[in-house]
Amino acid sequence: MTINNWSQKARKRWEEDRASGGPVRILGIETSCDETSAAVIEDGRIIRSNAISSQIESHKRFGGVVPEVASRHHVENITIIIEEALKKAECTLDDMNAIAVTYGPGLVGALLVGVAAAKAIAFASGIPLIGVHHIAGHIYANRFVKEMEFPLLALVVSGGHTELVYMKGHGEFEVIGQTRDDAVGEAYDKVARSLHLPYPGGPHIDRLAQEGQASIRLPRAWLEEGSYDFSFSGLKSAVLNVLHNAGQRGETIEPANLAASFQESVIEVLVEKSFRLIKERPVKQLLLAGGVAANQGLRSTLTDRAHREGIELVIPPLSLCTDNAAMIAGAGYIQYQKGNFADLSLNGIPGLPLS
Ligand code: KG4
Ligand code: ZN
């Protein structure tokens, strides 16, 4: 088999596998940021394994992800993690029907490690290669909980993205609103840093918020009438101002109260905008996706509101909220069914658009 006729051969393999009617096993790979992950999933919705190696400890001392350090860790871990995922799933590469990999958005050096590994395995095994958008992966993490019903709205809240994504069908993403500055996870991490909390700060703010009172007045960025976009940099600056002004007056601010006030402002805007959009464009389901979906305050406020409005809400389990390869294989399965394959020129694209 040569590189030139590789995708044709892979397609032939796909047709044969479909005709045989056996289970479809997809090996997923995710290396877009600071988690090296590989997973084996079956028939789109069964997780056979989901191995994750987090680099958080290496980045903590820098207060954020250092791209070169991330790439180096991915290179060191990728083979081990793939072997671990196959072993946990009690499979070998011969049992795989396709390989799905995140090819954007993310850190270019980090993406390239996963893409190169996936291309090498696809070429060596003669199986189809599928390029997956990282945010599509986060959205499809919900399909391990509940089958999707369209149209649906996904509220995507991660370290790099804050988006309202409307879906009419599988793989059809329409971005209706997005952040104009900081992503919500980024705002969490920056506020946490100003309170001297370790990276990543989101979970720490979440925990503190549950211990405090939302007693400090902070702004809500509603933006102009009818806009579904978000903005969190003003809120972040307001938090820094509160700390700075208190410092100048020699007063102390209770970190738990500041965390609770910040979190209340974030959640109010996210939840209100989601339901305003649902009023305008009715949907069958509301999905929560991305690392900030692990936030307890957001999960419970959305759950209450969805219950009151009679909307079905789907939220991934905590283990599938932050970056993992099961969600990538899950989104890849939809493309597998459509026969939507990449060829060996697949490259990492840091700013890959969703729609
Ligand atoms: O989706 P993700 O793992 O990576 C990206 O694709 O960006 O999201 C990571 C982000 C970080 O900003 C982290 O602080 C935030 O998710 N996060 C949280 C919580 N757990 C993780 N933010 C708020 N509350 C949490 N419990
Ligand atoms: Zn992510």
Side-chain angles (χ1 to χ4, degrees):
M1 204 186 324
T2 68
I3 289 185
N4 290 337
N5 69 6
W6 175 83
S7 61
Q8 258 174 300
K9 287 257 166 83
R11 207 172 174 89
K12 200 159 165 275
R13 166 78 190 262
W14 173 65
E15 280 159 8
E16 283 164 13
D17 285 355
R18 275 164 72 91
S20 82
V24 174
R25 294 194 195 94
I26 297 187
L27 175 66
I29 295 182
E30 155 66 37
T31 64
S32 68
C33 190
D34 59 348
E35 257 95 29
T36 317
S37 180
V40 174
I41 70 153
E42 200 166 289
D43 293 332
R45 296 188 57 205
I46 302 164
I47 301 176
R48 296 276 303 260
S49 66
N50 192 16
I52 305 170
S53 163
S54 170
Q55 310 173 359
I56 284 177
E57 286 309 315
S58 305
H59 298 287
K60 235 179 197 167
R61 63 199 157 111
F62 302 110
V65 177
V66 182
E68 283 77 11
V69 175
S71 312
R72 207 170 325 132
H73 277 285
H74 287 310
V75 170
E76 283 164 10
N77 290 326
I78 187 78
T79 320
I80 301 165
I81 284 293
I82 291 171
E83 279 170 3
E84 188 182 323
L86 289 169
K87 196 167 162 220
K88 276 192 187 156
E90 296 175 352
C91 289
T92 67
L93 282 176
D94 291 340
D95 301 316
M96 297 301 115
N97 300 84
I99 179 156
V101 62
T102 308
Y103 74 112
L107 303 168
V108 69
L111 289 167
L112 283 176
V113 178
V115 169
K119 289 201 288 194
I121 292 172
F123 180 59
S125 327
I127 55 174
L129 175 69
I130 301 165
V132 175
H133 191 289
H134 182 75
I135 297 301
H138 274 301
I139 293 173
Y140 272 89
N142 284 287
R143 198 161 170 260
F144 293 113
V145 179
K146 183 94 209 302
E147 182 55 278
M148 291 173 163
E149 284 179 46
F150 302 104
L152 63 79
L153 180 69
L155 171 60
V156 178
V157 282
S158 76
H161 292 81
T162 311
E163 284 168 359
L164 280 166
V165 181
Y166 183 82
M167 291 178 69
K168 273 198 222 140
H170 280 302
E172 293 176 39
F173 307 101
E174 184 188 349
V175 179
I176 295 183
Q178 58 194 312
T179 185
R180 294 187 184 170
D181 39 58
D182 290 357
V184 64
E186 199 180 343
Y188 263 95
D189 293 340
K190 287 178 181 167
V191 164
R193 205 170 168 168
S194 72
L195 289 172
H196 309 291
L197 296 166
Y199 174 84
H204 297 280
I205 297 278
D206 190 14
R207 180 182 39 78
L208 265 185
Q210 288 163 52
E211 296 163 10
Q213 300 293 324
S215 53
I216 300 161
R217 277 179 66 88
L218 291 172
R220 273 101 176 111
W222 295 111
L223 305 177
E224 62 281 359
E225 180 84 29
S227 170
Y228 292 107
D229 281 350
F230 301 98
S231 164
F232 293 103
S233 76
L235 173 61
K236 174 196 68 191
S237 304
V239 170
L240 298 181
N241 280 341
V242 167
L243 286 169
H244 179 74
N245 293 343
Q248 291 216 316
R249 283 194 234 106
E251 296 167 4
T252 47
I253 294 281
E254 179 51 58
N257 291 346
L258 192 54
S261 307
F262 166 76
Q263 179 145 308
E264 187 186 78
S265 172
V266 168
I267 292 175
E268 195 179 314
V269 175
L270 289 176
V271 173
E272 188 56 37
K273 290 219 174 193
S274 303
F275 282 92
R276 271 188 205 169
L277 182 51
I278 288 174
K279 279 227 157 56
E280 199 177 296
R281 287 201 193 193
V283 290
K284 295 209 175 109
Q285 290 176 330
L286 172 62
L287 271 47
L288 185 59
V292 185
N295 187 274
Q296 293 303 329
L298 180 57
R299 293 168 85 94
S300 70
T301 310
L302 266 183
T303 303
D304 291 348
R305 180 76 182 261
H307 184 73
R308 266 191 284 135
E309 307 258 356
I311 293 282
E312 182 178 34
L313 174 70
V314 190
I315 303 183
L318 291 181
S319 59
L320 296 178
C321 287
T322 40
D323 293 348
N324 68 87
M327 68 184 197
I328 300 305
Y333 177 78
I334 301 298
Q335 296 190 46
Y336 179 86
Q337 284 185 308
K338 293 181 180 176
N340 186 9
F341 303 127
D343 63 39
L344 293 180
S345 62
L346 186 72
N347 212 343
I349 304 178
L352 184 69
L354 181 61
S355 53

